Amino acid sequence: MLQKIIGLTVRDVRFPTSLEQHGSDAMHTDPDYSAVYVVIDTDCGLKGFGLTFTLGKGTEIVVCAVRALEGLVVGKSLQDIVSNFRGFYRLLTSDGQMRWLGPEKGVIHLATAAVLNAVWDLWARAEGKVGPSYQALMDPKQIISCIDFRYITDVLTEEEALDILMNANEGKQQREDQMLSHGYPAYTTSCAWLGYSDQQLKQLCTDALQNGWTRFKVKVGADLEDDIRRCRLIRQMIGPSNTLMIDANQRWDVGEAISWVTRLAEVKPLWIEEPTSPDDILGHATISKALAPLGIGVASGEQCHNRVMFKQFLQASALQFVQIDSCRLGSVNENLAVLLMAHKFKVPVCPHAGGVGLCELVQHLILFDYICVSADLSGRMCEYVDHLHEHFSSPVVIRNAHYMPPKDPGYSCEMLESSVQRHEYPEGNVWKIENKK
């Protein structure tokens, strides 16, 4: 791993998903799924590919933030980085001047995730290892060395984290074999975006059921009576025995969330996702307590800034389902910390993956969680959206509504160059055509 990083390029790649309302919800009515796409070049020709996810406008701001981090990356060898990965993580997140833009939150943290995702991809390619999860092939002490425990040692120490990983060694091979043969359970969000018509919703549900899907998520929050109607329709389509979740994407105040979801309790949702501001930890705790008698849990995390906020969500018993995101947190490094904390608090992890490239990334984290941390699938599933996978060189594979382990070395987020060129903003052909309309 003596490869020296000699260059870092970043590109603004956007897909016009708003044209067909893909990804639409109560707060994000016209998303254009986008990626800040990072490529790391080394002196031996090996490359690392990474990205972070955005919704269109503002992607150029994250691109600028990646360029601000470039000087902290170029010139280092891969060995320099991975031999002290915790130190490298802190280098990116604790620069004496740039940390003022966060710290460890917002645009600068999205940029950090893109860069670190590329580094993890480069490391996996350099090692040439293929398995259900690259991280699952690592030694527990090496995994711990990648995590920044600053600010979370009051709930999880390095020693405790190492014990969790060591205890999970029992049965590890059997769990790996299980993932290789059966995969990790998934749920679909692609049937019920808020902007879809009833006819489209019915057809997509019918198709999904025929393809083996048993877990469905519905977007809610714009209009209560319409939500009741749409949720009844979905429940009727999928039947009483299949699983239904609802997602408000931060639409409500605390009291409003409780009353709204209470009205939707008749469709028996497993959880309400992002019922209020993603920053309101105590608000989530209040909602969780109020909805518990109805058998409805609270899920959140896709816009949770960092491991410190997750720590507090867990301490406050504010979540019944933890939803990590591959690009909101500081890449694998910070997600590892959250997986370990969630295990200690006995809260299942059900990651967010609604966005371009997120399914490709998160598959590695869910496999690691099951094989090396939780050793348990109870109450666990990972989001899947059936959009834009054709633009990746190693697209995620779903079989019988399960994520099948990736077969290629890397972190699975290399995009096809032809797709990048067509969708690069604003000069790609797709956007030249759209801008002429």
Side-chain angles (χ1 to χ4, degrees):
M1 294 190 294
L2 299 178
Q3 299 91 342
K4 183 178 180 181
I5 296 173
I6 59 172
L8 183 155
T9 58
V10 56
R11 296 157 83 178
D12 181 338
V13 183
R14 307 186 192 187
F15 300 88
T17 49
S18 61
L19 296 178
E20 298 183 35
Q21 291 287 287
H22 302 319
S24 56
D25 61 53
M27 295 293 277
H28 313 96
T29 56
D30 59 347
D32 285 328
Y33 277 7
S34 305
V36 175
Y37 185 54
V38 172
V39 180
I40 291 176
D41 291 289
T42 66
D43 57 359
C44 70
L46 191 66
K47 297 178 184 289
F49 303 88
L51 60 82
T52 197
F53 170 63
T54 58
L55 292 184
K57 295 175 185 175
T59 304
E60 69 277 8
I61 302 172
V62 188
V63 168
C64 289
V66 169
R67 288 178 177 146
L69 295 171
E70 180 181 354
L72 301 176
V73 181
V74 175
K76 288 185 167 49
S77 73
L78 181 58
Q79 182 63 42
D80 290 338
I81 293 171
V82 302
S83 63
N84 183 20
F85 213 151
R86 180 183 302 166
F88 183 70
Y89 177 90
R90 281 200 184 181
L91 176 70
L92 296 187
T93 59
S94 300
D95 177 87
Q97 295 182 8
M98 283 190 287
R99 77 180 300 276
W100 192 258
L101 304 177
E104 295 182 84
K105 63 174 72 74
V107 167
I108 194 67
H109 213 40
L110 292 173
T112 299
V115 172
L116 286 171
N117 284 341
V119 171
W120 277 94
D121 183 70
L122 180 65
W123 188 8
R125 290 169 184 267
E127 293 278 305
K129 292 179 179 178
V130 179
S133 166
Y134 173 63
Q135 294 79 30
L137 300 174
M138 295 169 62
D139 176 79
K141 291 183 178 179
Q142 188 178 30
I143 292 169
I144 296 300
S145 73
C146 297
I147 301 171
D148 188 352
F149 285 88
R150 182 163 55 180
Y151 309 135
I152 63 171
T153 55
D154 52 324
V155 301
L156 183 73
T157 65
E158 288 188 47
E159 293 74 20
E160 288 177 304
L162 183 59
D163 285 344
I164 291 171
L165 295 177
M166 296 300 292
N167 290 338
N169 276 333
E170 183 179 354
K172 182 177 176 180
Q173 186 60 55
Q174 289 89 337
R175 293 190 296 276
E176 182 175 327
D177 293 341
Q178 179 188 357
M179 290 296 99
L180 288 168
S181 59
H182 294 94
Y184 193 96
Y187 72 87
T188 179
T189 305
S190 300
C191 297
W193 296 115
L194 199 60
Y196 283 0
S197 67
D198 285 1
Q199 182 179 358
Q200 189 174 9
L201 185 152
K202 289 179 180 178
Q203 185 60 56
L204 290 170
C205 276
T206 299
D207 294 344
L209 288 164
Q210 290 175 350
N211 289 323
W213 291 95
T214 60
R215 305 172 184 90
F216 299 78
K217 189 166 77 179
V218 183
K219 296 292 184 175
V220 298
D223 179 88
L224 178 56
E225 295 306 319
D226 192 54
D227 283 350
I228 293 172
R229 183 187 60 79
R230 291 174 71 253
C231 287
R232 285 174 176 170
L233 177 60
I234 292 281
R235 175 53 80 188
Q236 182 181 13
M237 291 288 301
I238 68 174
S241 60
N242 286 329
T243 304
L244 179 67
M245 292 81 70
I246 56 177
D247 183 0
N249 289 95
Q250 313 156 30
R251 181 65 183 241
W252 305 311
D253 282 353
V254 172
E256 186 181 20
I258 294 168
S259 61
W260 200 301
V261 176
T262 299
R263 290 286 305 277
L264 295 174
E266 64 175 83
V267 300
K268 301 188 182 307
L270 175 66
W271 74 53
I272 172 62
E273 184 172 329
E274 290 197 305
T276 191
S277 165
D279 298 346
D280 190 354
I281 295 165
L282 297 182
H284 278 80
T286 299
I287 296 168
S288 293
K289 185 176 180 180
L291 296 181
L294 300 175
I296 302 172
V298 172
S300 192
E302 70 185 73
Q303 290 201 339
C304 182
H305 294 304
N306 50 51
R307 64 195 180 282
V308 182
M309 284 193 65
F310 271 114
K311 176 187 78 170
Q312 295 178 354
F313 271 114
L314 292 165
Q315 287 175 309
S317 300
L319 300 178
Q320 286 70 58
F321 302 91
V322 165
Q323 295 181 308
I324 58 171
D325 183 280
S326 303
C327 299
R328 178 67 59 178
L329 296 179
S331 186
V332 176
N333 309 68
E334 193 166 28
N335 271 299
L336 293 175
V338 176
L339 292 175
L340 289 161
M341 286 192 292
H343 177 73
K344 181 177 178 180
F345 281 87
K346 297 181 172 56
V347 178
V349 176
C350 300
H352 170 250
V356 60
L358 296 185
C359 295
E360 277 70 23
L361 289 167
V362 81
Q363 62 182 327
H364 296 266
L365 299 176
I366 56 175
L367 292 166
F368 171 80
D369 181 46
Y370 176 59
I371 295 170
C372 299
V373 181
S374 69
D376 185 13
L377 290 178
S378 301
R380 296 171 188 269
M381 52 185 148
C382 184
E383 183 174 29
Y384 175 74
V385 296
D386 191 17
H387 307 299
L388 307 175
H389 303 292
E390 67 273 16
H391 300 289
F392 290 83
S393 62
S394 299
V396 68
V397 175
I398 297 290
R399 191 175 73 201
N400 297 324
H402 285 68
Y403 277 86
M404 300 309 297
K407 296 182 178 181
D408 298 322
Y411 200 17
S412 306
C413 52
E414 178 185 359
M415 301 182 77
L416 299 175
E417 180 59 25
S418 58
S419 291
V420 174
Q421 290 181 6
R422 287 199 310 274
H423 294 88
E424 190 165 6
Y425 188 86
E427 297 300 323
N429 287 338
V430 167
W431 292 107
K432 285 182 178 178
I433 294 171
E434 284 302 314
N435 291 334
K436 287 179 181 178
K437 291 180 179 179

